[in-house]
Amino acid sequence: MSSTVGQVIKCKAAVAWEAGKPLVIEEVEVAPPQAMEVRVKILFTSLCHTDVYFWEAKGQTPVFPRILGHEAAGIVESVGEGVTDLQPGDHVLPVFTGECKECDHCKSEESNMCSLLRINPDRGVMIGDGKARFSINGKPIYHFLGTSTFSEYTVVHVGCLAKINPLAPLETVCVLSCGISTGFGATVNVAKPKKGSSVAVFGLGAVGLAAAEGARVSGASRIIGVDLNSDRFEQAKKFGVTEFVNPKDHDRPVQEVIAEMTGGGVDRSVECTGNINAMISAFECVHDGWGVAVLVGVPHNDDVFKTSPVNFLSERTLKGTFYGNYKPRSDIPGVVEKYMNKEMELEKFITHEVPFSEINKAFDLMLRGEGLRCLIRMEH
Ligand code: APR
Ligand code: ZN
C-alpha cells in the first residue's frame, strides 16, 4: 500500500482562475477519496473542445476557480469506502459521463444516459457530499465534468472510471476517454453501416474523423467527407475518407450534391459539426427507403431543426447519440481491446504533444484549429 493512502496529496494542477485567462500551474491539495470515489494519478490527458468551451464560459454559468480536463488516462492511487471493482494500480480512463449500473438507463440495454452520473458541466463538486476535493490554502477549487484531469491527482466517482487492459499504452488510449469514442461509436453503434455501403461524414475534426474510422472498420466502400474548411481534406485521407465535398464550392444545397454523387443519397450519414445547417443537410442527404442519419455535434441552445415530414414518410431515419452510445464502464474496456487487436487506429489522432507545464500551448493550438488532439504529458 502506498504511503499516500488516506492522506491529503499535494501536487501540481492547472487551475483556471477566470474565464478565458491562461491556466496557472499551482500546488493544490487533493483530499482522499470518500465513499464510492477513487483517487487517480493522471499520466496523460488531452485537450478537447468541451474544455475550451467551458474555459471561455460564454453564455454559461461560470464555475471558477476550476480544474478543467476530462480526456485522460491514469492509474488508481487509492479507493474510498464501498468501491469493490477497482484497486490501487488498476489502469483507468476517466469519463465525463458515468454508469452507476443501478438506474433505469444503466439497466436499459439501449441507453448510456445514467440518471445519477450523467454529464453536468455546472456542477463543481462531488455528488456524494457536495464538496470539492481540491483546495489551495483551504479554499475550494472546483471540479469539472466529474473528472478534472488537468491535475497530477484527481478524485472521480467510481461510476466514471473505465478499468482497462493494463498492457494498453496510456498515452494512446487516452483519446478514447472522450472524442474518439464519441465519433467512432456514433458510426459503429448507431449508424451501423453495412459492408460496401456509403457514409457521409459532416465535419472532419477529431470527432468526425473518428466517425470516418468507424465507417472504415465497418467496411464502407465510400466515405464522403463534408467540411467548409478544405484544409481538412488532406488529413482526412489517412482516415479512409474517399471523397470530399466543400459546401462552399456549390451554389445548391450540399444534400443535393451528395444525392447526385450517390444515385439518390448515402446509406448513412454522421454529423460532427454542431452546426444546425449541417445537421439538416446530414439528414436530407440520406437515401429514401433506408437511409439513417446520426447527429453527434452539440448545437446552440436556440437552434431548431426544420425539415419536411415527408423526408420521414419516405423512410429516412434521424437519430442522435451521446458519447457514441457507449456505457463507460461496461463498453469502453472493449473499445480499448479493439485498439489492442489492431481493429482500430488511434495514433493518427494525436498530432501534437506538450509537457504539462506548457498546457496553455494546447489551448493555443485548439483555438487556432491546428491538429486534432494535443497530448499533455504529466511530469510527476
Ligand atoms: N458544414 C460542414 N462542415 C462544417 C460546418 C458546416 N456547416 N460547420 C463546421 N464545420 C466543420 C469545421 O470546419 C470543422 O472542420 O466541422 C469541423 C468541426 O471540427 P472541430 O471543430 O475540430 O470539432 P470536433 O472536436 O471534431 O467536434 C465536433 O462534436 O463534440 C462535438 O460540440 C462538438 O460540435 C462539435 C463536434
Ligand atoms: Zn445509472
Side-chain angles (χ1 to χ4, degrees), residues 11-14 23 40-48 51 66-74 92-96 134 142-156 160-161 174 177-178 356 359 376-378 380:
C11 71
K12 290 203 173 79
L23 307 187
V40 179
K41 179 179 186 180
I42 298 294
L43 294 182
F44 296 94
T45 181
S46 41
L47 185 62
C48 162
D51 300 304
R66 186 173 222 187
I67 298 173
L68 296 162
H70 63 285
E71 203 173 82
V92 289
L93 301 184
V95 181
F96 61 91
F134 299 107
Y142 296 106
H143 295 247
F144 176 62
L145 302 187
T147 49
S148 290
T149 59
F150 295 163
S151 177
E152 291 177 330
Y153 287 87
T154 188
V155 176
V156 180
C160 300
L161 289 168
C174 169
S177 144
C178 172
F356 187 46
I359 188 168
I376 299 157
R377 188 179 284 269
M378 305 309 277
H380 285 279

Side-chain angles (χ1 to χ4, degrees), residues 49-50 202-208 226-229 232 247 272-275 277-278 296-298 373:
H49 277 283
T50 312
F202 285 71
L204 300 174
V207 177
V226 184
D227 203 298
L228 294 172
N229 177 0
R232 294 276 194 187
C272 307
T273 69
N275 178 280
N277 297 317
V296 178
V298 182
R373 278 295 187 261

